[in-house]
């Protein structure tokens, strides 16, 4: 039988600590909330009452329940107030020496059978535990912010944590209505080990002027369905906190350069640009503590006229290709009012693409997304062809053929001969260098990447990829076209993976390495990222959907270009692909899909 916890202590009443107090008090457990001073206690009390008052205002908590909740909390200055509690959770700043001092004091104050827990997100629970005479009763209980809302708790056992203590804490998590994943004491645990490599990589992109902060954030929200972009998330976490976590993970985690803090992070910490809490980080906020972003000197101009400045007029568009991507792009342009010339290899292909576009538009009519008149008008704008010569009078060509460089280069050389001067030639490649395609023509200034996401009619994002030869006029035209299509354009340089894949696939690769090391299970890792970080899918769910062969090919491209050891494809990923376990399309990937 798991032990019954009747009273719990929480040390440190910042955002995290106050949230943990609320979680316990909501579940009917008495809480002793401790801070170093009366002033700090008052701040903690204000955080708790503010949170519960908001819950009442939103109808999530009845006034009587709020009063009962607050009645279960006793505020006290100093650790001596914790002498009778069954469990203490420490939630002070991420400094090892501070935590060790607190645990040594808790060891003296608390009753012999009390469990001592740390909410650390990156420090060694083992190093904290040895400050006590009861390391077998020390455990990590890592809540996620905001604690009352987030369902995940990482339960971190050291090599000496008693199995009974682990079982008792797991049962407590269930009582609190949380989902726990139990893991060993390793730098970053699951969620932060996967999250912070990705955040650090995003900052490196921004630092090198590869893309703007707005475009990096928009790309990950719209391209991956993430609740926040990486730079806005850094501001929320606190740039100083992020630095401490990355630095600790780098030192404790085998000195993987993916976790070595990008120099800009340290500079921002030194300059006091810590994110929301100081009112300025990667973005500027209305005031310290406010979530409201206000324009600053780096904010791009949102004026449509300014966006179109220097853009060429586009009325007729050619789309080359017959796959899913080409079909979706044809539909997107036709619905937006452009004349479209669809070119495929032969009449049979043209007929199947025509049928696919009609089917998709008819579905739109059935769902009430498109009127019958609009459908008919869109179809009336499309000309079906099997010869490239029909592109002689278009203003823009979008290529969506197979992802083979030789095929694309040959096609662009042909387009260069056929198309009139001033026509923009765009490739939808998701992984090949756009400059290689551009140099197959005599007009590299007019060549650009337009990476649509699948399915193109639904996904709102387009990555606009400029090479070192692309003219500003071509970029302006591409952005204006995306705006006319109702898409969000993000502009980046011509580097492997562009923004989304360059940030997404190393994170997926890190998850495979974590599984390969037997640190955790695929289910627990997926749960950690969905429940701890708000991701719509866990990494292994996503890999099975994308295809393990596709993921491996992209990861190899990234590794070949950047030569970063941390980007080397995980051997487990290579083995599964070799074995033909490619995900849902073959019925088996990280999971078996044949019986679902």
């Amino acid at each position: 039988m798991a032990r019954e916890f009747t009273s719990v202590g929480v040390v440190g009443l910042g955002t995290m600590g106050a949230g943990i107090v609320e979680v316990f008090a909501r579940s009917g457990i008495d809480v002793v909330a401790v801070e170093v001073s009366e002033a700090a206690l008052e701040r903690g009390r204000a955080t708790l009452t503010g949170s519960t008052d908001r819950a009442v205002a939103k109808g999530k908590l009845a006034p009587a329940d709020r009063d009962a909740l607050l009645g279960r909390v006793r505020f006290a200055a100093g650790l001596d107030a914790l002498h009778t509690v069954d469990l203490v959770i420490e939630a002070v700043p991420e400094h090892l020496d501070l935590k060790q001092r607190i645990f040594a004091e808790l060891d003296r104050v608390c009753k012999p059978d009390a469990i001592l827990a740390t909410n650390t997100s990156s420090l060694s629970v083992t190093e904290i535990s040895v400050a006590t005479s009861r390391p077998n009763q020390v455990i990590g209980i890592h809540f996620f912010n905001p604690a009352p809302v987030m369902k995940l708790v990482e339960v971190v056992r050291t090599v000496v944590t008693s199995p009974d203590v682990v079982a008792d804490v797991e049962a407590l998590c269930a009582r609190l209505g949380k989902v726990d994943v139990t893991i060993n004491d390793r730098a970053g645990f699951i969620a932060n080990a996967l999250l912070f490599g990705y955040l650090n990589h995003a900052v490196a992109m921004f630092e090198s002027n590869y893309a703007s902060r707005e475009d990096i954030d928009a790309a990950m929200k719209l391209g991956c369905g993430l609740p926040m972009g990486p730079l806005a998330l850094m501001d929320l976490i606190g740039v100083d906190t992020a630095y401490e976590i990355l630095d600790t993970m780098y030192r404790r985690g085998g000195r993987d350069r993916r976790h070595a803090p990008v120099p800009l992070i340290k500079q921002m910490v030194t300059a006091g640009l810590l994110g929301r809490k100081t009112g300025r980080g990667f973005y500027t906020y209305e005031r310290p503590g406010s979530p409201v972003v206000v324009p600053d000197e780096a904010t791009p101009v949102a004026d449509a006229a300014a966006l179109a400045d220097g853009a060429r007029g586009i009325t007729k568009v050619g789309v080359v290709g017959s796959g899913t991507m080409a079909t979706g792009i044809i539909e997107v342009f036709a619905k937006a009012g452009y004349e479209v010339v669809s070119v495929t290899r032969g009449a049979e292909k043209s007929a199947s693409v025509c049928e696919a576009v009609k089917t998709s538009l008819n579905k739109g009519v059935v769902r009430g997304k498109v009127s019958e008149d609009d459908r008919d008008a869109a179809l009336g704008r499309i000309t079906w062809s099997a010869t490239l010569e029909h592109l002689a009078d278009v203003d823009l060509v979008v290529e969506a053929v197979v992802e083979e460089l030789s095929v694309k280069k040959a096609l662009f050389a042909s387009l260069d001969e056929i198309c009139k001067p001033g026509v923009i030639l765009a490739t939808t490649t998701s992984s090949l260098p756009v400059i290689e395609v551009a140099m197959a023509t005599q007009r590299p200034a007019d060549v650009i990447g337009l990476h649509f996401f699948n399915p193109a009619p639904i996904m709102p994002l387009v990555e606009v990829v400029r090479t070192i030869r692309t003219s500003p006029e071509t970029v302006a035209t591409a952005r204006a076209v995306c705006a006319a299509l109702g898409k969000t354009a993000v502009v980046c340089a011509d580097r492997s993976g562009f923004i989304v894949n360059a940030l997404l696939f190393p994170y997926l690769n890190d998850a495979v390495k974590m599984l390969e090391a037997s640190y955790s299970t695929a289910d627990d890792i997926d749960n950690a990222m969905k429940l701890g970080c708000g991701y719509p899918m866990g990494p292994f769910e996503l890999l099975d959907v994308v295809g393990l062969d596709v993921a491996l090919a992209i990861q190899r491209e990234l590794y070949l270009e950047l030569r970063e050891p941390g980007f080397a494809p995980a051997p487990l990923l290579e083995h599964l692909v070799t074995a033909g376990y490619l995900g849902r399309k073959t019925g088996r990937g990280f999971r078996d899909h044949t019986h679902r």
Side-chain angles (χ1 to χ4, degrees), residues 317-563:
V317 178
V319 180
V320 184
S322 56
T324 311
M325 209 67 231
T327 307
I329 292 168
I330 292 164
E331 181 184 334
V332 166
F333 276 102
K335 279 201 299 200
Y338 289 94
E339 294 293 319
V340 182
V341 181
S342 161
V343 180
T344 62
R345 289 198 315 262
E348 202 177 311
K349 294 265 190 197
S350 272
S352 72
V353 173
C354 176
E355 204 48 49
V357 172
K358 280 181 180 168
T359 303
S360 179
L361 285 166
N362 285 332
K363 278 186 187 163
V365 172
V366 170
R367 291 178 182 150
K369 298 279 174 75
V370 183
S371 73
E372 291 188 14
D373 288 349
D374 287 347
R375 171 198 63 193
D376 296 343
L379 287 169
R381 292 186 196 104
I382 306 170
T383 307
W384 306 99
S385 167
T387 168
L388 289 174
E389 276 68 24
H390 285 142
L391 300 174
D393 64 339
V394 301
D395 308 308
L396 162 69
V397 180
V398 180
E399 162 278 308
V401 301
V402 66
E403 280 284 272
E404 282 180 30
L405 193 55
S406 58
V407 176
K408 290 186 191 283
K409 285 170 80 167
L411 172 61
F412 271 70
S414 300
L415 292 172
D416 190 28
E417 290 179 12
I418 292 164
C419 295
K420 63 190 180 188
V423 173
I424 289 179
L425 305 179
T427 171
T428 61
T429 183
S430 59
S431 59
L432 299 172
V434 178
I435 189 66
E436 295 249 12
V437 179
M439 295 312 289
T441 74
Q442 300 299 308
R443 47 172 112 182
D446 295 335
V447 178
I448 198 161
L450 281 182
H451 178 219
F452 288 80
F453 286 72
N454 202 9
I458 294 168
M459 294 296 277
L461 185 71
V462 179
E463 288 178 319
V464 174
V465 186
R466 53 178 164 74
T467 75
I468 53 173
R469 296 287 297 266
T470 307
S471 72
E473 188 185 21
T474 300
V475 175
T477 308
R479 292 183 64 181
V481 166
C482 291
L485 296 175
K487 303 289 186 191
T488 299
V490 297
V491 181
C492 64
D494 180 22
R495 218 170 69 185
S496 189
F498 311 139
I499 300 174
V500 174
N501 286 352
L503 290 177
L504 175 65
F505 282 89
Y507 146 75
L508 296 175
N509 196 47
D510 287 347
V512 179
K513 289 178 182 173
M514 188 178 273
L515 179 69
E516 191 172 51
S518 301
Y519 180 62
S520 191
T521 64
D523 286 348
D524 276 356
I525 294 169
D526 276 356
N527 271 338
M529 298 316 290
K530 287 194 293 187
L531 302 175
C533 300
Y535 282 28
M537 296 176 92
F540 298 107
E541 283 178 90
L542 185 55
L543 280 161
D544 277 1
V545 169
V546 167
L548 275 59
D549 51 339
V550 175
L552 178 59
I554 292 171
Q555 195 60 37
R556 279 179 176 156
E557 287 288 335
L558 290 169
Y559 179 54
L560 279 172
E561 184 169 86
L562 300 171
R563 305 297 169 102

Side-chain angles (χ1 to χ4, degrees), residues 109-156:
V109 168
C110 295
K111 58 189 186 184
D113 64 344
I115 293 172
L116 308 182
T118 173
N119 182 59
T120 183
S121 57
S122 64
L123 297 173
S124 165
V125 179
T126 308
E127 286 185 48
I128 294 168
S129 75
V130 294
T132 74
S133 61
R134 54 176 108 179
N136 60 318
Q137 285 165 238
V138 176
I139 195 165
I141 305 181
H142 178 219
F143 287 84
F144 287 74
N145 200 11
V149 176
M150 300 300 275
K151 298 292 278 184
L152 183 73
V153 176
E154 289 176 321
V155 175
V156 187

Side-chain angles (χ1 to χ4, degrees), residues 30-60:
D30 290 335
V31 185
V32 181
V34 170
E35 260 292 3
V36 287
S37 66
E38 291 296 336
L41 272 183
E42 278 314 305
R43 286 195 296 275
R45 193 194 303 268
T47 304
L48 179 63
T49 52
S51 174
T52 52
D53 286 349
R54 280 194 299 278
V56 169
K58 289 176 182 167
K60 301 272 178 77

Side-chain angles (χ1 to χ4, degrees), residues 40-258:
L41 272 183
E42 278 314 305
R43 286 195 296 275
R45 193 194 303 268
T47 304
L48 179 63
T49 52
S51 174
T52 52
D53 286 349
R54 280 194 299 278
V56 169
K58 289 176 182 167
K60 301 272 178 77
L61 191 64
D65 291 339
R66 171 199 54 198
D67 297 343
L69 183 162
L70 295 173
R72 291 188 197 103
V73 182
R74 178 164 71 88
F75 291 89
L79 299 177
D80 287 338
L82 300 170
H83 64 280
T84 61
V85 299
D86 304 316
L87 165 75
V88 178
I89 298 186
E90 160 276 311
V92 303
E94 289 283 271
H95 300 296
L96 183 62
D97 55 344
L98 172 63
K99 290 184 189 276
Q100 286 178 325
R101 282 202 308 277
I102 287 171
F103 271 73
E105 188 64 12
L106 289 172
D107 188 35
R108 185 186 64 75
V109 168
C110 295
K111 58 189 186 184
D113 64 344
I115 293 172
L116 308 182
T118 173
N119 182 59
T120 183
S121 57
S122 64
L123 297 173
S124 165
V125 179
T126 308
E127 286 185 48
I128 294 168
S129 75
V130 294
T132 74
S133 61
R134 54 176 108 179
N136 60 318
Q137 285 165 238
V138 176
I139 195 165
I141 305 181
H142 178 219
F143 287 84
F144 287 74
N145 200 11
V149 176
M150 300 300 275
K151 298 292 278 184
L152 183 73
V153 176
E154 289 176 321
V155 175
V156 187
R157 59 177 173 228
T158 72
V159 287
V160 296
T161 305
S162 156
D164 288 347
V165 169
V166 176
D168 290 343
V169 169
E170 287 174 336
L172 177 63
C173 289
R175 180 179 166 190
L176 297 174
K178 301 292 185 189
V179 175
D180 72 272
V181 294
T182 300
I183 43 182
N184 295 326
D185 183 22
R186 198 179 93 170
F189 315 136
I190 297 175
N192 283 352
L194 295 180
L195 178 68
F196 276 86
Y198 150 72
L199 294 178
N200 202 36
H201 189 183
V203 177
M205 268 188 186
F206 175 65
E207 183 185 48
S208 65
N209 292 318
Y210 176 68
S212 71
R213 61 190 181 182
E214 286 84 1
D215 282 358
I216 292 168
D217 280 356
M220 298 316 288
K221 284 166 66 179
L222 301 176
C224 298
L226 302 186
M228 289 182 90
L231 303 178
L233 182 55
M234 287 279 284
D235 277 357
L236 175 63
I237 291 166
V239 179
D240 52 341
T241 304
Y243 177 80
E244 293 290 343
I245 291 172
L246 282 165
D247 188 49
T248 303
M249 282 171 54
Y250 176 70
R251 286 186 285 104
R252 283 187 62 208
R255 300 193 176 266
D256 181 348
R257 279 186 26 208
R258 298 253 295 132

